[in-house]
Amino acid sequence: MTLPSANCAVCHVAARLTCTRCKVVRYCNGEHQRQDWPQHKSCCRPFREQQDAQLGRYLVATHDVKAKQIIFVEDPLVVGPKWFLTDEEKSASIVPCVGCYTPCRVDKHHCRNCRWPVCSVGCEHEKLECSVLSLGNAPKSKTDVRALVDYYRHDALLVLKCLLLQQQHPDRWRALLEMQSHEEERLGTELHQEAEQRVVGYLRQRFLQRIKQSKQRDSMPSDYEPQLLHRLCGIIETNYMVIELATGIELSGLFRQACMMEHACQPNCYFQFDAATQRIAVRAGCDLKKGDHLRITYTNILWGTQMRHHHLLMTKHFSCRCARCEDPTEYGSYVSALRCLGDVSKTCVGVQLPVDPLDEKTQWKCDTCPMVVDAAYVTEVQTHMTEQVESLLAGRPTASQVELLLARLSQLLHTNHFHMFNLKHTLVQLYGHEPGLELGTLSDLQLGRKQRLCDELYNVCRLLDPHSIKLAIYVSIILIEMTHTLEERARREQAEAAALLEQAELRLKEAQDVVEKVLDSVAGKKLNDKLQKHFAEHYKLTARLKLNTLN
Ligand SMILES: [Zn+2]
Ligand SMILES: [Zn+2]
Ligand SMILES: [Zn+2]
Ligand SMILES: [Zn+2]
Ligand SMILES: [Zn+2]
Ligand SMILES: [Zn+2]
């Protein structure tokens, strides 16, 4: 799925020749390549790089491109362990294997040369990297887990991998240094201090400063000044792409072209990663027109504007000014809106929206009455709610617990607010599945509630991500739950059964179409398996109910 076809585009036999221009399409011989060129011309590298002062470098479509078509395939500059670890990940005793990133115990198997953890005795890793790592003094005790965890900082390994490109791939090294690092903005920030302690100081003291005494120093990097290492940290932070392997392991990668794609809070492209070749394929998320900028989203599309801005500013050092960010209603979704509480004399049915969504300190104004609240109040409400939602969802709540919090939050938040969305998305997966709330046991009222929730969630997704690019997993789950609801109604309402089952089938097919975009992830694979089973059951049900109506 991730990779383009390995067969000839003309006669479909296994083919060795690849179009040298795009490296996407294959041919069995030169004759077939020439024959295909008039058609292939319009989809061979259908984009170009452009540059301006505001956006820096970005990519633009040079032809119309159909949804899901591959726009380009690219080898990485560097791929390595996950960047930006949580506190738990920093202290976990399960770490990625230094060779293949499979999770392994920090105190079990170690590379014979550098002593870094490996998944199995035979798992090897890159030679130069191994030589540099072997300059460190690995903890003597093989059982002191805490010392071992502090010694094997796998996130720092990504910076070392970048540094080693100097020797290994000078062309990739040059391309890497051309990337934006936001060095100036990083100075004095928490990110910079954190990188100093966790990565830069660590790599220098434990490994790099020992290069001078090494016998192999001629083949090792000669420049590892703190400034260069910080620049690499900045380049990674600004540009890295999250790669989720089908095994669930998360890696970080830098790609020369893919990293040039512009950010927008509504994407029109997506990418899939092929673990075997480490290549990514960038695909059109919807039909693209000539001249469209290629866009992906670097933040959580379900968050409100304030949270997205904060996240992008902290991690990517820029303020997004896309159409959604400028719109106080966020495409009419109201995912940040609060309910207006009115004043002492009168209640109000209006909603509070930011006057200038791009200004953190903006006032929030009611769309119905003259009531105004300040940003500090909004932040306080949001923070308080975030804590409540997170702590509830972390504890595997029951449907009635979620309903309770939903009712509480609904007094202050718009019904589409992102916290409400989160709770409702949990709820639709509980109704019909929670022990005691199986589909057959739901009351008509509960079934109706499930359907309404699904519809509401689906509408928010359509507004924020009309082509289900970034929200593919969320949307597939909603569509599957919609199908369950429609099928259950078909069982209960004989007269409507045929129409309901038809609707259900359309939902299933839509889910199938959406899930194709995320087949390279664990969640996507699981959903796809579920969908296949669901299709079979759906046809069985359809056959059975048809039989009933005939009798
Ligand atoms: Zn052929
Ligand atoms: Zn081509
Ligand atoms: Zn391994
Ligand atoms: Zn090694
Ligand atoms: Zn935006
Ligand atoms: Zn009001």
Side-chain angles (χ1 to χ4, degrees):
M1 186 60 218
T2 306
L3 275 187
S5 166
N7 296 339
C8 172
V10 176
C11 67
H12 310 293
V13 303
R16 285 169 168 254
L17 279 176
T18 309
C19 169
T20 44
R21 191 157 171 263
C22 65
K23 300 182 182 69
V24 174
V25 186
R26 298 222 193 186
Y27 299 102
C28 65
N29 61 38
E31 179 50 38
H32 279 176
Q33 178 165 15
R34 273 188 297 281
Q35 192 185 321
D36 191 41
W37 180 242
Q39 291 92 48
H40 177 54
K41 201 162 57 177
S42 64
C43 54
C44 183
R45 281 183 70 88
F47 69 97
R48 69 159 176 269
E49 289 176 31
Q50 277 185 196
Q51 189 161 14
D52 70 30
Q54 200 205 336
L55 292 172
R57 292 194 290 182
Y58 58 98
L59 305 180
V60 176
T62 50
H63 287 92
D64 293 357
V65 182
K66 284 251 165 294
K68 295 191 184 170
Q69 188 187 309
I70 293 183
I71 303 176
F72 61 88
V73 170
E74 185 177 27
D75 287 311
L77 295 176
V78 68
V79 167
K82 184 181 173 194
W83 186 249
F84 261 134
L85 300 182
T86 61
D87 288 340
E88 288 95 82
E89 285 167 332
K90 281 177 197 162
S91 56
S93 56
I94 302 290
V95 297
C97 163
V98 68
C100 66
Y101 312 122
T102 304
C104 58
R105 288 182 56 103
V106 74
D107 55 355
K108 194 131 185 238
H109 302 294
H110 296 107
C111 167
R112 245 175 276 154
N113 185 35
C114 70
R115 314 300 309 156
W116 273 55
V118 284
C119 60
S120 56
V121 188
C123 193
E124 288 186 3
H125 65 123
E126 208 281 316
K127 283 227 169 59
L128 183 57
E129 174 185 296
C130 185
S131 310
V132 174
L133 291 177
S134 69
L135 300 175
N137 279 329
K140 293 275 176 312
S141 159
K142 270 181 131 186
T143 50
D144 186 350
V145 171
R146 208 179 298 160
L148 292 170
V149 165
D150 185 57
Y151 186 75
Y152 303 125
R153 295 191 193 168
H154 36 98
D155 47 344
L157 192 61
L158 186 61
V159 178
L160 180 64
K161 282 178 183 289
C162 288
L163 189 74
L164 296 182
L165 292 179
Q166 280 182 83
Q167 268 69 33
Q168 297 163 323
H169 297 281
D171 52 327
R172 292 193 196 174
W173 174 246
R174 276 191 299 277
L176 188 77
L177 292 186
E178 274 177 30
M179 288 179 152
Q180 181 68 265
S181 68
H182 292 286
E183 269 170 291
E184 314 269 291
E185 292 99 311
R186 290 181 79 246
L187 276 175
T189 64
E190 238 174 80
L191 273 178
H192 189 271
Q193 282 162 20
E194 160 95 16
E196 173 60 36
Q197 283 167 15
R198 180 146 180 100
V199 177
V200 177
Y202 162 80
L203 282 177
R204 283 175 51 81
Q205 282 149 29
R206 308 230 181 174
F207 310 99
L208 300 170
Q209 286 174 338
R210 303 178 182 194
I211 286 179
K212 280 185 232 114
Q213 287 103 48
S214 161
K215 280 191 214 99
Q216 291 163 280
R217 61 181 168 269
D218 291 341
S219 61
M220 292 190 185
S222 49
D223 181 6
Y224 40 80
E225 289 307 302
Q227 205 194 349
L228 177 65
L229 296 179
H230 273 295
R231 185 168 166 200
L232 294 175
C233 291
I235 288 173
I236 294 172
E237 262 152 37
T238 314
N239 298 286
Y240 85 101
M241 296 174 86
V242 174
I243 296 166
E244 198 198 331
L245 299 185
T247 49
I249 299 168
E250 185 182 320
L251 303 179
S252 298
L254 290 171
F255 297 83
R256 200 186 79 83
Q257 242 159 25
C259 292
M260 269 183 227
M261 280 194 288
E262 199 180 318
H263 161 86
C265 298
Q266 190 173 86
N268 59 11
C269 289
Y270 65 102
F271 62 88
Q272 293 174 318
F273 183 76
D274 181 68
T277 59
Q278 299 209 329
R279 283 183 174 171
I280 57 167
V282 171
R283 292 179 189 258
C286 53
D287 289 346
L288 298 179
K289 288 253 160 298
K290 178 178 174 177
D292 282 351
H293 291 204
L294 307 187
R295 297 184 166 123
I296 53 172
T297 303
Y298 290 120
T299 183
N300 189 333
I301 200 169
L302 284 173
W303 287 342
T305 297
Q306 273 193 319
M307 265 173 84
R308 292 196 316 282
H309 265 232
H310 183 72
H311 178 239
L312 288 170
L313 209 58
M314 293 315 290
T315 58
K316 303 280 179 187
H317 309 282
F318 76 92
S319 287
C320 182
R321 307 200 157 253
C322 73
R324 175 178 168 190
C325 287
E326 281 183 348
D327 176 0
T329 73
E330 302 179 50
Y331 295 137
S333 68
Y334 292 90
V335 287
S336 295
L338 306 189
R339 288 182 55 175
C340 177
L341 299 176
D343 58 28
V344 266
S345 60
K346 214 163 78 202
T347 53
C348 174
V349 293
V351 287
Q352 301 277 359
L353 291 167
V355 178
D356 175 6
L358 296 172
D359 175 12
E360 257 180 71
K361 300 202 168 66
T362 186
Q363 285 199 311
W364 290 55
K365 219 174 144 297
C366 176
D367 64 355
T368 314
C369 78
M371 194 70 180
V372 171
V373 293
D374 58 21
Y377 164 78
V378 177
T379 310
E380 199 188 306
V381 170
Q382 303 256 35
T383 315
H384 184 59
M385 308 237 157
T386 308
E387 282 162 16
Q388 292 191 44
V389 172
E390 279 176 1
S391 90
L392 180 79
L393 295 185
R396 291 183 164 264
T398 62
S400 60
Q401 288 171 317
V402 181
E403 287 284 16
L404 214 65
L405 183 58
L406 200 58
R408 265 219 317 273
L409 299 198
S410 69
Q411 307 191 331
L412 292 175
L413 305 180
H414 186 279
T415 182
N416 286 351
H417 189 280
F418 63 93
H419 284 323
M420 303 284 280
F421 182 100
N422 214 345
L423 292 173
K424 288 178 187 177
H425 199 264
T426 308
L427 211 45
V428 296
Q429 294 173 79
L430 291 172
Y431 282 127
H433 302 284
E434 186 180 312
L437 286 179
E438 294 86 358
L439 274 176
T441 63
L442 292 181
S443 68
D444 286 349
L445 216 66
Q446 286 171 318
L447 196 62
R449 170 90 174 135
K450 179 170 165 107
Q451 177 159 356
R452 234 181 10 263
L453 290 171
C454 285
D455 291 342
E456 287 172 20
L457 291 168
Y458 183 76
N459 290 337
V460 174
C461 291
R462 296 297 289 182
L463 292 168
L464 297 181
D465 185 15
H467 306 285
S468 305
I469 299 170
K470 188 82 175 173
L471 294 180
I473 300 274
Y474 279 90
V475 173
S476 326
I477 291 175
I478 297 167
L479 287 166
I480 291 174
E481 294 309 329
M482 276 177 166
T483 319
H484 280 308
T485 316
L486 291 163
E487 287 166 345
E488 181 57 24
R489 279 187 53 204
R491 285 187 202 101
R492 294 181 191 192
E493 302 164 36
Q494 288 271 323
E496 304 292 321
L500 288 165
L501 286 175
E502 231 169 82
Q503 282 183 46
E505 189 174 338
L506 287 177
R507 295 305 195 194
L508 272 184
K509 286 184 174 156
E510 188 181 344
Q512 176 74 73
D513 186 55
V514 172
V515 112
E516 265 183 34
K517 294 175 184 161
V518 281
L519 279 182
D520 60 336
S521 71
V522 212
K525 271 215 169 81
K526 268 197 195 148
L527 274 173
N528 190 48
D529 292 347
K530 218 167 147 183
L531 260 176
Q532 300 322 315
K533 278 192 206 126
H534 200 144
F535 264 112
E537 278 160 29
H538 176 81
Y539 291 126
K540 257 192 250 163
L541 178 67
T542 309
R544 212 181 72 218
L545 290 180
K546 278 215 175 107
L547 218 64
N548 284 348
T549 40
L550 286 178
N551 289 341

